[in-house]
């Protein structure tokens, strides 16, 4: 293994770890400082913090599934997907937006999986509303996942060869 490959692997693991750390740190602060369902207005009504425990997936999808189904669809399949993503990052010459995007997706996924496996639910707490645009309640892991997906999709639209 070359020095370049070792540095690449260390940087991949660093980006993933920073994403996990930001997510877990923000959730820890919210769990210590905000009561369940308490709402704190940070920027008028445009940004609020409301602590909720989500036992489903993104925007509570799958919340009503049986415990066995949740184990498969919300824990086992995401673990396998993230492991495949890691192997892909380590074995393929992925670079640019795709590399960073996949690191963000994996880091955010691990952050939410950690909560789901340890606590049985994921702490969500951010809500954004600007005019007709509004979100569900989400967390920093969700921000990592969405940012990563945006970067990965963006990579498909960036031309590698200007003559194409």
């Amino acid at each position: 293994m070359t020095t370049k490959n070792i540095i690449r692997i260390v940087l991949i693991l660093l980006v993933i770890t920073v994403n996990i750390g930001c997510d877990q740190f923000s959730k820890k602060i919210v769990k210590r400082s905000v009561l369940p369902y308490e709402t704190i207005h940070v920027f008028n009504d445009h940004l609020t913090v409301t602590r909720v425990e989500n036992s489903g997936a993104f925007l509570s999808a799958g919340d009503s599934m049986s415990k066995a189904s949740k184990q498969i669809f919300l824990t086992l399949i995401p673990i396998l997907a993230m492991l495949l993503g890691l192997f892909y990052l380590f074995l393929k010459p992925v670079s640019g937006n795709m590399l960073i995007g996949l690191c963000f997706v994996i880091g955010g996924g691990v952050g939410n999986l950690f909560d789901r496996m340890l606590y049985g639910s994921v702490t969500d707490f951010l809500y954004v509303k600007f005019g007709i645009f509004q979100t569900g309640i989400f967390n920093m892991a969700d921000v990592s996942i969405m940012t990563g997906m945006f970067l990965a999709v963006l990579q498909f639209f960036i031309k590698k060869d200007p003559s194409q």
Side-chain angles (χ1 to χ4, degrees):
M1 185 174 286
T2 67
T3 303
K4 185 178 176 181
N5 285 343
I6 293 171
I7 292 171
R8 183 176 188 278
I9 290 170
V10 168
L11 290 175
I12 287 170
L13 294 175
L14 181 64
V15 172
I16 291 170
T17 302
V18 166
N19 274 271
I20 296 167
C22 289
D23 172 62
Q24 291 300 302
F25 182 72
S26 64
K27 288 174 183 172
K28 191 173 199 170
I29 289 172
V30 167
K31 285 180 180 183
R32 286 185 178 172
S33 307
V34 182
L35 296 171
Y37 303 104
E38 177 184 5
T39 298
I40 299 169
H41 297 275
V42 178
F43 184 62
N44 295 325
D45 286 334
H46 301 296
L47 176 64
T48 58
V49 173
T50 302
R51 178 179 158 196
V52 296
E53 295 299 322
N54 178 0
S55 66
F58 186 69
L59 299 176
S60 298
D63 189 41
S64 61
M65 293 188 327
S66 70
K67 187 173 182 174
S69 294
K70 281 184 186 180
Q71 288 292 330
I72 293 169
F73 289 105
L74 301 180
T75 304
L76 184 61
I77 291 174
I79 287 172
L80 292 173
M82 282 181 274
L83 287 173
L84 286 171
L86 276 173
F87 285 123
Y88 183 77
L89 285 175
F90 292 146
L91 300 176
K92 298 289 181 181
V94 181
S95 63
N97 288 331
M98 183 65 74
L99 175 70
I100 299 299
L102 290 175
C103 288
F104 271 58
V105 169
I106 292 168
V110 169
N112 278 342
L113 265 174
F114 179 79
D115 286 3
R116 190 170 287 118
M117 292 170 64
L118 198 61
Y119 308 115
S121 65
V122 173
T123 301
D124 289 333
F125 56 91
L126 293 170
Y127 173 76
V128 176
K129 179 180 178 185
F130 282 102
I132 61 169
F133 172 78
Q134 61 183 343
T135 65
I137 300 174
F138 60 97
N139 60 43
M140 292 309 294
D142 298 331
V143 172
S144 289
I145 293 166
M146 296 304 292
T147 301
M149 292 302 295
F150 173 78
L151 290 171
V153 169
L154 181 65
Q155 184 67 40
F156 287 111
F157 295 104
I158 296 175
K159 292 183 178 181
K160 295 177 182 158
D161 182 357
S163 65
Q164 290 181 348

